[in-house]
Coordinates of all heavy atoms in Angstrom, one line a residue:
W112 N 34.0 -43.8 -222.4 CA 32.6 -44.1 -222.0 C 32.4 -45.7 -222.0 O 31.4 -46.2 -221.6 CB 31.5 -43.5 -222.9 CG 31.8 -43.6 -224.3 CD1 32.3 -42.7 -225.1 CD2 31.5 -44.8 -225.2 NE1 32.4 -43.1 -226.5 CE2 31.9 -44.4 -226.5 CE3 31.0 -46.0 -225.0 CZ2 31.8 -45.3 -227.6 CZ3 30.9 -46.9 -226.2 CH2 31.4 -46.5 -227.3
C113 N 33.4 -46.4 -222.6 CA 33.3 -47.8 -222.8 C 33.7 -48.7 -221.5 O 34.9 -48.6 -221.1 CB 34.1 -48.3 -224.0 SG 34.4 -50.0 -224.3
R114 N 32.9 -49.3 -220.9 CA 33.1 -50.0 -219.7 C 34.1 -51.1 -219.9 O 35.0 -51.3 -219.1 CB 31.9 -50.7 -219.1 CG 31.0 -49.6 -218.4 CD 29.8 -50.3 -217.8 NE 28.9 -49.4 -217.2 CZ 28.8 -49.3 -215.8 NH1 29.5 -50.1 -215.1 NH2 28.1 -48.4 -215.2
K115 N 34.0 -51.9 -221.0 CA 35.1 -52.9 -221.3 C 36.3 -52.4 -221.6 O 37.3 -53.0 -221.1 CB 34.5 -53.8 -222.5 CG 33.3 -54.6 -222.3 CD 32.9 -55.4 -223.4 CE 31.7 -56.2 -222.9 NZ 31.1 -57.1 -223.8
C116 N 36.4 -51.2 -222.1 CA 37.8 -50.5 -222.3 C 38.4 -50.1 -220.9 O 39.5 -50.4 -220.8 CB 37.6 -49.2 -223.1 SG 36.9 -49.5 -224.8
I117 N 37.6 -49.6 -220.1 CA 38.0 -49.2 -218.7 C 38.5 -50.4 -218.0 O 39.5 -50.4 -217.3 CB 37.0 -48.5 -218.0 CG1 36.7 -47.1 -218.8 CG2 37.3 -48.2 -216.6 CD1 35.4 -46.4 -218.3
Y118 N 37.8 -51.5 -218.1 CA 38.1 -52.7 -217.3 C 39.4 -53.3 -218.0 O 40.2 -53.9 -217.2 CB 37.0 -53.7 -217.3 CG 37.3 -54.9 -216.5 CD1 37.3 -54.9 -215.1 CD2 37.5 -56.1 -217.1 CE1 37.6 -56.0 -214.4 CE2 37.7 -57.3 -216.4 CZ 37.7 -57.2 -215.0 OH 38.0 -58.4 -214.3
L119 N 39.6 -53.3 -219.2 CA 40.7 -53.9 -219.9 C 42.0 -53.1 -219.9 O 43.0 -53.8 -219.9 CB 40.2 -54.2 -221.3 CG 41.2 -55.1 -222.3 CD1 41.2 -56.4 -221.8 CD2 40.7 -55.1 -223.6
K120 N 41.9 -51.8 -219.7 CA 43.1 -51.0 -219.7 C 44.2 -51.5 -218.8 O 45.4 -51.5 -219.2 CB 42.7 -49.6 -219.6 CG 43.9 -48.6 -219.8 CD 43.5 -47.1 -219.7 CE 44.7 -46.3 -220.0 NZ 44.3 -44.9 -219.8
P121 N 43.9 -51.6 -217.5 CA 45.0 -52.1 -216.5 C 45.6 -53.5 -216.9 O 46.8 -53.6 -216.7 CB 44.3 -52.1 -215.2 CG 43.0 -51.8 -215.4 CD 42.7 -51.4 -216.7
K122 N 44.9 -54.3 -217.5 CA 45.4 -55.6 -218.0 C 46.4 -55.4 -219.1 O 47.3 -56.2 -219.2 CB 44.2 -56.5 -218.1 CG 43.5 -57.0 -216.9 CD 42.1 -57.4 -217.2 CE 41.3 -57.8 -215.9 NZ 41.4 -56.8 -214.9
L123 N 46.0 -54.5 -220.0 CA 46.8 -54.2 -221.1 C 48.2 -53.5 -220.7 O 49.1 -53.8 -221.3 CB 46.0 -53.4 -222.2 CG 45.0 -54.2 -223.0 CD1 44.1 -53.1 -223.7 CD2 45.7 -55.2 -223.9
E124 N 48.0 -52.7 -219.6 CA 49.2 -52.0 -219.2 C 50.2 -53.1 -218.6 O 51.4 -52.9 -218.6 CB 48.8 -51.0 -218.1 CG 48.2 -49.7 -218.7 CD 47.6 -48.8 -217.7 OE1 47.2 -49.1 -216.5 OE2 47.4 -47.7 -218.1
K125 N 49.6 -54.1 -217.9 CA 50.5 -55.1 -217.3 C 51.1 -56.0 -218.5 O 52.2 -56.3 -218.4 CB 49.6 -56.1 -216.4 CG 50.5 -57.2 -215.8 CD 49.7 -58.0 -214.9 CE 50.5 -59.1 -214.2 NZ 51.7 -59.7 -214.9
L126 N 50.4 -56.3 -219.5 CA 50.9 -56.9 -220.7 C 51.9 -56.0 -221.4 O 52.9 -56.6 -221.8 CB 49.7 -57.2 -221.7 CG 50.1 -58.1 -222.9 CD1 50.4 -59.4 -222.5 CD2 48.9 -58.2 -223.8
A127 N 51.7 -54.8 -221.4 CA 52.8 -53.9 -222.0 C 54.1 -54.0 -221.2 O 55.2 -53.9 -221.7 CB 52.3 -52.4 -221.9
A128 N 54.0 -54.1 -219.9 CA 55.3 -54.2 -219.1 C 55.8 -55.6 -219.3 O 57.0 -55.7 -219.4 CB 54.9 -54.2 -217.6
D129 N 55.1 -56.6 -219.7 CA 55.6 -58.0 -219.9 C 56.4 -58.0 -221.3 O 57.5 -58.7 -221.4 CB 54.6 -59.0 -220.1 CG 53.9 -59.4 -218.8 OD1 54.4 -59.0 -217.7 OD2 52.7 -59.9 -218.8
Y130 N 56.0 -57.1 -222.2 CA 56.6 -57.1 -223.6 C 57.7 -55.9 -223.6 O 58.3 -55.7 -224.6 CB 55.7 -57.0 -224.7 CG 55.0 -58.2 -224.9 CD1 53.8 -58.6 -224.5 CD2 55.6 -59.2 -225.7 CE1 53.1 -59.7 -224.7 CE2 55.0 -60.4 -226.0 CZ 53.8 -60.7 -225.4 OH 53.2 -61.9 -225.7
Y131 N 57.8 -55.1 -222.5 CA 58.8 -54.0 -222.5 C 60.3 -54.7 -222.4 O 60.4 -55.5 -221.8 CB 58.5 -53.2 -221.2 CG 59.4 -52.1 -221.0 CD1 59.4 -50.9 -221.7 CD2 60.6 -52.1 -220.3 CE1 60.2 -49.8 -221.6 CE2 61.5 -51.1 -220.0 CZ 61.2 -50.0 -220.7 OH 62.2 -48.9 -220.7
P132 N 61.2 -54.1 -223.2 CA 61.2 -52.9 -224.2 C 61.0 -53.3 -225.5 O 61.1 -52.5 -226.5 CB 62.5 -52.4 -223.9 CG 63.5 -53.6 -223.6 CD 62.5 -54.5 -222.9
R133 N 60.8 -54.5 -225.9 CA 60.8 -54.9 -227.3 C 59.5 -54.5 -228.1 O 59.5 -54.6 -229.3 CB 61.0 -56.5 -227.5 CG 59.8 -57.3 -227.1 CD 60.1 -58.8 -227.4 NE 59.0 -59.5 -227.1 CZ 58.5 -60.6 -227.7 NH1 59.2 -61.0 -228.8 NH2 57.5 -61.3 -227.4
L134 N 58.4 -54.1 -227.4 CA 57.3 -53.8 -228.1 C 56.6 -52.6 -227.2 O 56.6 -52.6 -226.1 CB 56.3 -55.0 -228.0 CG 55.0 -54.9 -228.9 CD1 55.4 -54.9 -230.3 CD2 54.2 -56.2 -228.6
R135 N 56.1 -51.6 -228.0 CA 55.5 -50.4 -227.3 C 54.0 -50.4 -227.6 O 53.5 -50.8 -228.6 CB 56.1 -49.1 -227.9 CG 57.6 -48.9 -227.5 CD 58.2 -47.6 -228.0 NE 58.3 -48.0 -229.5 CZ 58.6 -47.0 -230.4 NH1 58.6 -45.8 -230.0 NH2 58.7 -47.3 -231.6
F136 N 53.3 -50.0 -226.6 CA 51.8 -50.0 -226.5 C 51.3 -48.5 -226.5 O 51.9 -47.7 -225.7 CB 51.2 -50.8 -225.3 CG 51.4 -52.3 -225.4 CD1 52.5 -53.0 -225.4 CD2 50.1 -52.9 -225.4 CE1 52.5 -54.3 -225.6 CE2 50.1 -54.3 -225.5 CZ 51.3 -55.0 -225.6
Y137 N 50.4 -48.2 -227.3 CA 49.8 -46.9 -227.4 C 48.3 -47.0 -227.3 O 47.7 -48.0 -227.5 CB 50.2 -46.3 -228.8 CG 51.6 -46.0 -229.0 CD1 52.4 -46.9 -229.6 CD2 52.2 -44.7 -228.5 CE1 53.8 -46.7 -229.7 CE2 53.5 -44.6 -228.8 CZ 54.4 -45.5 -229.3 OH 55.6 -45.2 -229.5
S138 N 47.7 -46.0 -226.9 CA 46.2 -45.9 -226.8 C 45.6 -44.8 -227.6 O 46.3 -43.6 -227.6 CB 45.7 -45.8 -225.3 OG 46.1 -44.6 -224.8

Side-chain angles (χ1 to χ4, degrees):
W112 48 262
C113 170
R114 285 181 178 253
K115 290 183 180 184
C116 302
I117 293 167
Y118 184 71
L119 189 61
K120 188 175 180 183
K122 291 159 182 49
L123 288 168
E124 289 171 338
K125 183 177 180 331
L126 189 64
D129 292 343
Y130 283 99
Y131 177 82
R133 73 176 183 142
L134 193 62
R135 290 178 289 165
F136 282 63
Y137 294 88
S138 69

